[in-house]
Amino acid sequence: MTNIVMIMTDQQRADSLGCMGNARARTPNIDALAARGALFHNHFTPHQICSPSRATLFTGELARHHGLTRNGVALPETQPMLSCDLRAAGYRTHGVGKFHFQPILAAAEHRMPDSNAFWDLPESRNWRGPFFGFDTVDILIGESVGATEGGHYARWLAERAPGAADLYAPENALTPGPDDMDEVWKSAIPEDLHYNTWITDRACDFLEQAGNDPFFLFVSYPDPHHPFSPPAPWCDLFDPADMPDPDVCPQELDAMPSYLLDGDREEASKSYVDYLRDPGPPREQGFLQTTRRISQGSLKQAIAHTYGMVSMIDAGVGRILDRIEALDLTADTLVVFTSDHGELLGDHGLIRKGPSPYRALLNVPLVVAGPGVTPGPRDGMTSHLDLRATLNAHLGLPEVQTDGRSFAAMLVDPQDQGPEAILAEYHPRTRAETYNQTLLTRDWRLTTYPLNVDWGEMFDLRNDPGEHRNLYFDAAYADMKQALIARLFQALPPAPEAGGQPIATY
């Protein structure tokens, strides 16, 4: 049986890798993995928010069906998942890092290991699983300053280096961050204590003691998610002056839904870092903000730090791949590298993420290398929705009935084009009218807002691949718009009320 190692990052754009054409990126290990595997140029997530995307990848179900439609909702523990399929097939299953299947701020009475409060309970002392189909886990919760409050990593750090958690804070940064962007700083936490290093160490430890039984190892890094605060030496790896300018056109947001400009008011009331420390009232997911109040220098510092975080992850990936090779497991191990969603990074004059499903948010990396995979690029469209069915088919596991469809044929045949269209859906936390649905084809991206007819997005990707000219209300494209809407609603009828009940802010 083929082993599986799935490596996931958080908030990483597809174009952040050297193998995807980024000449500035320093990702030699992921690039080498792509060189011996299938590199998917048009892989998308249906949900540009952490928990819904992760749950969809593992379940093969749209968020409206698995129930985790927004951060703050818990995935039902009885939900069938890829990890459950593999466990039932005789795999030893282990997960390391960020899962985010349950709300981080769920109260202790819910007894959810993915929440900080669980780790104050006596039962957490020796807990290692089982957890959503994983026999054992090493859990990390959150990212940056939020990663030291609960989970196995936070407990390890407190025991290994008492007081070191404070080194993540911006107040203790190696150098002060910019005045106009408080979530950009050089973290003072030493590299050997950083959570990315801890995740890599735990993954390598598992590989060492996995034995002869087939295994599924899930390795989940919480970076390059904002705040933009890598440790040394990664915070200094890239010169901000060498970073690319964001892809933005003057006044392009004037033709977009008006909420895109509203996030600045929330950001002015409480910054993201302050919100992490003291959440207060719920805010819309993604913390979308325009770059109007951010200097070009500060924005490029954030981009440089993002590149640094990606390079730090790449180094961890290299260590894992080296350990697989040293254990003589390469020929028997399928390696999957992906991310849950992307980041705007200044494109369109916006930063972070939010309701609008720009390509920078939906298009994520996907590399698959190992037994039965023909090396080479793949240009066809694929989705997280289809990964469970795809991996089961490629591994010869029993077929499962899900919303997804297998693209296993693409792993063998680089010329296979996969599905003709991809569906996406956004379920908001606080502003109901931002609920939206998307149909993405090779030529068009159409997004409707069923609760607000004054909003809509439509882009001609052949002539406007950067999604800068919104044609939704252009009379010359009315017939095309109606045809795409009909196609979207037939495949995905509006369901703004779908999903489980929120039990926490996030």
Side-chain angles (χ1 to χ4, degrees):
M1 295 173 67
T2 301
N3 304 311
I4 308 171
V5 175
M6 178 182 287
I7 303 171
M8 174 176 276
T9 62
D10 194 322
Q11 203 152 312
Q12 183 177 359
R13 297 163 57 122
D15 61 7
S16 65
L17 302 172
C19 56
M20 290 291 286
N22 190 323
R24 295 179 178 88
R26 301 183 193 177
T27 52
N29 297 296
I30 299 170
D31 296 349
L33 182 70
R36 66 176 178 89
L39 174 63
F40 291 80
H41 288 271
N42 293 296
H43 185 74
F44 299 88
T45 174
H47 314 291
Q48 65 267 35
I49 297 296
C50 299
S51 290
S53 176
R54 291 163 178 265
T56 287
L57 183 152
F58 269 90
T59 66
E61 305 283 358
L62 290 163
R64 58 169 61 195
H65 293 145
H66 60 61
L68 208 176
T69 51
R70 57 185 67 83
N71 291 350
V73 176
L75 185 67
E77 295 184 33
T78 56
Q79 174 68 50
M81 302 171 69
L82 173 64
S83 46
C84 303
D85 301 339
L86 294 167
R87 189 181 185 188
Y91 282 76
R92 180 180 175 188
T93 56
H94 182 69
V96 181
K98 183 175 182 177
F99 292 84
H100 213 177
F101 295 147
Q102 298 168 328
I104 292 174
L105 298 185
E109 69 238 32
H110 294 289
R111 287 177 156 73
M112 293 181 173
D114 235 353
S115 68
N116 289 331
F118 172 84
W119 297 88
D120 292 327
L121 299 174
E123 64 206 70
S124 72
R125 177 51 53 186
N126 296 311
W127 184 87
R128 292 285 307 284
F131 187 68
F132 288 98
F134 291 96
D135 297 315
T136 51
V137 291
D138 291 299
I139 285 184
L140 177 138
I141 300 173
E143 62 279 322
S144 188
V145 294
T148 61
E149 299 179 31
H152 292 110
Y153 169 72
R155 185 163 287 170
W156 172 87
L157 183 64
E159 294 172 354
R160 173 73 176 271
D166 292 341
L167 298 177
Y168 276 103
E171 295 83 3
N172 298 317
L174 296 175
T175 57
D179 293 336
D180 57 349
M181 203 173 180
D182 78 334
E183 59 182 304
V184 177
W185 71 91
K186 301 177 188 294
S187 178
I189 191 79
E191 181 183 12
D192 65 319
L193 297 179
H194 193 273
Y195 49 70
N196 287 337
T197 303
W198 177 85
I199 289 169
T200 303
D201 289 344
R202 299 291 80 75
C204 290
D205 288 348
F206 172 82
L207 291 169
E208 287 285 355
Q209 50 81 45
N212 296 322
D213 293 333
F215 61 81
F216 170 46
L217 172 61
F218 176 57
V219 185
S220 182
Y221 295 100
D223 286 344
H225 192 291
H226 63 104
F228 309 95
S229 56
W234 309 102
C235 58
D236 296 316
L237 190 62
F238 294 90
D239 184 345
D242 293 336
M243 293 297 95
D245 292 328
D247 186 14
V248 57
C249 293
Q251 284 79 53
E252 65 174 282
L253 295 182
D254 292 348
M256 293 291 287
S258 58
Y259 70 80
L260 289 170
L261 301 176
D262 293 343
D264 288 358
R265 289 197 291 270
E266 283 191 324
E267 190 63 22
S269 65
K270 178 181 285 190
S271 74
Y272 177 71
V273 175
D274 289 339
Y275 186 84
L276 283 177
R277 291 167 163 170
D278 180 23
R283 285 167 56 173
E284 191 49 70
Q285 301 171 106
F287 295 85
L288 184 73
Q289 180 186 4
T290 74
T291 58
R292 290 179 300 185
R293 296 201 303 265
I294 301 174
S295 70
Q296 191 74 349
S298 298
L299 185 58
K300 288 204 169 189
Q301 183 70 70
I303 296 172
H305 281 188
T306 297
Y307 276 52
M309 288 190 279
V310 171
S311 290
M312 185 181 188
I313 291 167
D314 181 80
V317 171
R319 285 183 55 205
I320 293 170
L321 296 178
D322 286 347
R323 190 63 54 92
I324 292 171
E325 179 66 26
L327 294 168
D328 197 25
L329 295 173
T330 300
D332 300 316
T333 302
L334 189 73
V335 181
V336 180
F337 178 86
T338 191
S339 189
D340 56 1
H341 56 78
E343 153 75 55
L344 286 158
L345 272 187
D347 286 357
H348 312 287
L350 300 165
I351 198 165
R352 306 183 189 124
K353 57 188 181 289
S356 183
Y358 281 112
R359 184 183 182 95
L361 300 181
L362 295 187
N363 187 201
V364 293
L366 179 64
V367 177
V368 183
V373 178
T374 304
R378 306 300 196 269
D379 293 324
M381 294 195 302
T382 55
S383 171
H384 272 358
L385 184 67
D386 304 324
L387 267 176
R388 181 185 175 197
T390 299
L391 293 175
N392 281 347
H394 187 70
L395 296 168
L397 273 60
E399 183 179 356
V400 292
Q401 296 299 314
T402 66
D403 290 331
R405 295 182 297 175
S406 170
F407 58 86
M410 295 181 71
L411 297 179
V412 179
D413 181 7
Q415 302 306 314
D416 192 295
Q417 289 301 298
E420 294 182 357
I422 297 294
L423 300 171
E425 190 169 28
Y426 179 86
H427 293 269
R429 176 190 288 147
T430 62
R431 191 169 179 178
E433 61 184 342
T434 61
Y435 166 75
N436 64 65
Q437 301 172 270
T438 292
L439 178 73
L440 179 66
T441 72
R442 291 173 177 81
D443 296 333
W444 297 93
R445 196 260 281 178
L446 174 99
T447 300
T448 66
Y449 294 79
L451 301 184
N452 189 330
V453 297
D454 293 328
W455 293 345
E457 303 174 34
M458 179 175 165
F459 296 97
D460 177 358
L461 301 178
R462 297 163 301 181
N463 299 305
D464 181 23
E467 300 175 314
H468 297 294
R469 184 186 174 205
N470 185 9
L471 303 174
Y472 193 86
F473 293 105
D474 190 321
Y477 296 88
D479 290 343
M480 176 57 70
K481 179 178 76 173
Q482 291 307 316
L484 293 171
I485 290 175
R487 185 176 174 184
L488 170 62
F489 285 1
Q490 181 178 12
L492 197 70
E497 301 300 326
Q501 289 299 311
I503 60 174
T505 301
Y506 65 86

